[in-house]
Amino acid sequence: MATVAVPKFHKNFINGEWVEARSGRSFENRNPADHSELIGIFPSSTEDDVNDAVDAAKAAYAKWRLVPAPKRAEILYRAAETLVKRKEDLARDMTMEMGKPLSETRGDVQEAIDMTYYMAGEGRRLFGQTVPSELPNKFAMSVRDPLGVVGMITPWNFPMAIPSWKIMPALICGNTVVIKPAEDTPLSTYNLVQILTEAGLPVGVVNVIYGMGPDAGAPLVAHDDVMAVSFTGSTDTGRLVNQACASSFKPCHLEMGGKNIILVMDDANLDLAVEGAVWGGFGTSGQRCTAASRVAVHKKVYREFLNRFAQRVRALKIGDGLDPETEIGPLVNETQLQTVMKYVEIGKNEGTRLVVGGHRAESGRLATGWFHEPTIFADVNPKMRIAQEEIFGPVVALLPFDSFNEALEIANHVNYGLSASIYTRDVNLAYRAMRDLETGIVYVNAPTIGAEIQLPFGGTKSTGNGHREAGTAAIDFYSEWKTLYIDYSDRLQRAQMDTTEHS
Ligand code: UN1
């Protein structure tokens, strides 16, 4: 049984209490596989609610920063154990609110479990450096300080994984949190925070504000007491977040769009490459930042690859994610469906070859959901819009190439730089690809999706702004270095640069 049946009317979570939005306004959370089904009603927050939440987080910070990190970790361990126990219910809730198949929402919860355990482990590490001093009887080291209140804005495509990527490292470092989840997936954040609270998280340490970006997200980013911001979402919104943080030098971490590519060389294991392209291109209905929306194939194997790929994709089963047979769930909402349909039109008008799909899927029970057929365009020119712009849907552009250098040129010639992959059995080409692909993540003989939480996640160019999530890289964002010098000589010792001895 899904936990969704329990509270249909949700509230913000501020200072350990569930409270209505001050405006009294609300919004609906509906099932994208059947939009007649109402999942819940959530408060539509505004600046007043954000102020309350930040005040609560600021007050809680005074105590939380002093809780020893291994003790903070114990709460995270308990939360991880509950996530494990409730995985199935959490996955069902998530499938109902955003559509991806149960097999994938289980994976989303698993990623939250992994991140929570990993960051709990960091509670006994949070390594700094102890280095020799240049002076006698002097000790030198660096430690990590928390930042204070961190504001988080999270997307709908990984409704539990991505909030956990942000919340867990922030907490283990000693920060407190105000999070605004995407309006399409408020329930999964509710579930996550409920579990943290049950695990013993003190009042005010994590606060949740539901609502729309301009009304609730913007005041959160701009709030003077929010010391850092982490945002995952579109490049356009990321730019606004960046600008809002710039004037006060507020650190902000941005994880934005992608136009990821799989390169299939002529010596590749074609069956493996086809499986990779199907999963990379159409997993999560293409709604991953890491989705392989471009597949470039060596001309020697292009026709063969296209035939096998098209055959596999035609057979993919579209449906409600709760049905265990479903491979392709709906798009998250009507706007997303319309974006996909718009890009299919653009692709057709650009003179490419539509090989598979190309339509909204609305037969029978699909009529009440936001479904779209998995779609392949072949013979795409790298300059075309469908080869350049992020679509965030089940649309893959197939591009032919003649040589490895041309493949690299195609791969790198986009504004984004999240992930890229190469299928080859030539170790030299694999290493050249690892060196020359201009993305934050490179895969060899695996698709562009499937990053593991113990390594840095993020991208170059318009995908990111230099920070990384996950692994110890996340700790670097959610903490600030403090350098400590302890002189036990009992006399004034000038640093080497301030003495004449070196001249
Ligand atoms: C995203 O699409 O925003 O690497 C995150 C992957 C997942 C995370 C994707 N582990 O595909």
Side-chain angles (χ1 to χ4, degrees):
M1 242 288 285
T3 51
V4 68
V6 192
K8 279 245 172 187
F9 284 88
H10 288 259
K11 295 177 177 175
N12 286 328
F13 189 55
I14 300 177
N15 210 22
E17 284 175 25
W18 298 97
V19 293
E20 312 252 1
R22 288 205 190 207
S23 68
R25 285 191 288 132
S26 58
F27 66 93
E28 293 179 347
N29 181 21
R30 289 182 174 272
N31 183 344
D34 177 358
H35 43 74
S36 66
E37 188 180 349
L38 185 62
I39 309 288
I41 295 170
F42 287 81
S44 211
S45 309
T46 56
E47 190 170 353
D48 291 338
D49 307 298
V50 170
N51 291 343
D52 292 345
V54 174
D55 288 349
K58 193 178 176 189
Y61 176 66
K63 282 195 187 147
W64 182 245
R65 65 181 269 270
L66 299 177
V67 174
K71 287 281 167 207
R72 294 178 205 139
E74 286 171 18
I75 299 171
L76 267 56
Y77 276 122
R78 278 197 294 276
E81 275 160 29
T82 311
L83 286 166
V84 171
K85 278 196 209 106
R86 299 202 196 143
K87 183 171 172 181
E88 195 58 26
D89 284 348
L90 298 170
R92 289 183 77 82
D93 279 2
M94 198 187 297
T95 291
M96 286 165 78
E97 75 170 345
M98 68 74 70
K100 61 187 176 182
L102 265 183
S103 55
E104 292 193 32
T105 50
R106 287 185 192 116
D108 194 308
V109 179
Q110 186 59 48
E111 199 152 303
I113 292 167
D114 296 340
M115 183 58 88
T116 308
Y117 276 127
Y118 179 89
M119 287 301 164
E122 276 303 310
R124 286 190 184 268
R125 283 186 291 267
L126 289 180
F127 292 140
Q129 292 176 323
T130 305
V131 291
S133 164
E134 64 193 27
L135 296 170
N137 299 324
K138 190 176 171 194
F139 194 85
M141 64 183 167
S142 61
V143 295
R144 294 176 181 276
D145 257 2
L147 307 170
V149 179
V150 182
M152 301 173 179
I153 298 178
T154 51
W156 46 261
N157 65 338
F158 280 84
M160 196 166 276
I162 291 182
S164 79
W165 292 8
K166 300 187 193 301
I167 292 175
M168 303 312 166
L171 291 183
I172 206 69
C173 289
N175 305 286
T176 56
V177 171
V178 178
I179 182 168
K180 189 206 88 67
E183 57 270 26
D184 284 301
T185 51
L187 180 60
S188 293
T189 304
Y190 165 82
N191 286 339
L192 182 64
V193 172
Q194 180 74 22
I195 285 170
L196 277 166
T197 306
E198 284 171 32
L201 200 68
V203 161
V205 172
V206 174
N207 305 272
V208 188
I209 293 290
Y210 300 103
M212 308 300 138
D215 303 331
L220 177 60
V221 169
H223 199 297
D224 283 342
D225 289 332
V226 169
M227 303 311 288
V229 171
S230 180
F231 166 84
T232 300
S234 74
T235 299
D236 286 343
T237 308
R239 189 171 289 113
L240 296 176
V241 172
N242 205 14
Q243 284 163 353
C245 290
S247 61
S248 61
F249 313 109
K250 193 178 286 185
C252 77
H253 155 261
L254 305 171
E255 158 56 31
M256 302 172 285
K259 193 69 191 174
N260 314 293
I261 195 163
I262 292 177
L263 305 179
V264 183
M265 303 310 299
D266 53 347
D267 69 337
N269 174 341
L270 274 201
D271 285 332
L272 189 67
V274 166
E275 281 312 301
V278 171
W279 175 228
F282 299 107
T284 325
S285 302
Q287 300 172 112
R288 291 196 191 200
C289 311
T290 49
S293 53
R294 300 183 294 157
V295 179
V297 186
H298 196 289
K299 277 186 185 155
K300 281 193 193 149
V301 292
Y302 183 80
R303 187 185 296 265
E304 180 62 25
F305 179 91
L306 173 56
N307 288 343
R308 291 198 216 174
F309 185 42
Q311 201 182 356
R312 275 285 282 112
V313 172
R314 265 187 216 108
L316 289 174
K317 194 167 176 307
I318 308 175
D320 186 331
L322 290 180
D323 177 347
E325 307 248 293
T326 293
E327 291 169 292
I328 302 271
L331 294 161
V332 72
N333 57 34
E334 189 176 10
T335 312
Q336 208 61 31
L337 175 65
Q338 266 157 12
T339 304
V340 170
M341 289 165 69
K342 181 189 86 182
Y343 273 103
V344 168
E345 280 315 302
I346 291 171
K348 285 196 220 156
N349 294 335
E350 283 179 313
T352 56
R353 192 150 62 91
L354 179 62
V355 182
V356 180
H359 306 100
R360 178 176 181 174
E362 47 190 344
S363 62
R365 294 177 65 187
L366 302 184
T368 50
W370 311 122
F371 295 92
H372 195 278
E373 293 169 349
T375 298
I376 303 175
F377 282 105
D379 309 344
V380 176
N381 179 304
K383 294 203 176 79
M384 290 174 175
R385 286 185 65 190
I386 57 163
Q388 288 288 328
E389 297 173 23
E390 183 174 55
I391 301 173
F392 227 63
V395 180
V396 171
L398 220 61
L399 305 98
F401 64 82
D402 272 312
S403 67
F404 176 72
N405 283 344
E406 189 188 347
L408 264 187
E409 175 72 23
I410 293 171
N412 289 337
H413 205 82
V414 287
N415 283 332
Y416 299 106
L418 184 53
S419 95
S421 116
I422 183 166
Y423 281 82
T424 182
R425 286 185 265 211
D426 181 335
V427 69
N428 296 353
L429 283 187
Y431 271 88
R432 282 174 63 192
M434 287 189 270
R435 186 191 61 194
D436 294 337
L437 285 165
E438 297 167 355
T439 50
I441 305 169
V442 175
Y443 290 91
V444 176
N445 292 326
T448 55
I449 68 176
E452 302 181 29
I453 60 92
Q454 68 277 26
L455 288 153
F457 181 93
T460 62
K461 303 179 190 169
S462 297
T463 295
N465 63 339
H467 297 291
R468 293 288 185 268
E469 310 209 79
T472 51
I475 300 289
D476 290 335
F477 180 74
Y478 291 103
S479 63
E480 186 136 46
W481 285 117
K482 184 180 273 175
T483 305
L484 303 173
Y485 295 108
I486 305 101
D487 191 319
Y488 55 99
S489 69
D490 242 358
R491 62 192 175 90
L492 173 65
Q493 297 201 88
R494 294 191 188 197
Q496 188 162 290
M497 59 161 286
D498 292 321
T499 63
T500 50
E501 282 160 29
H502 54 80
S503 58

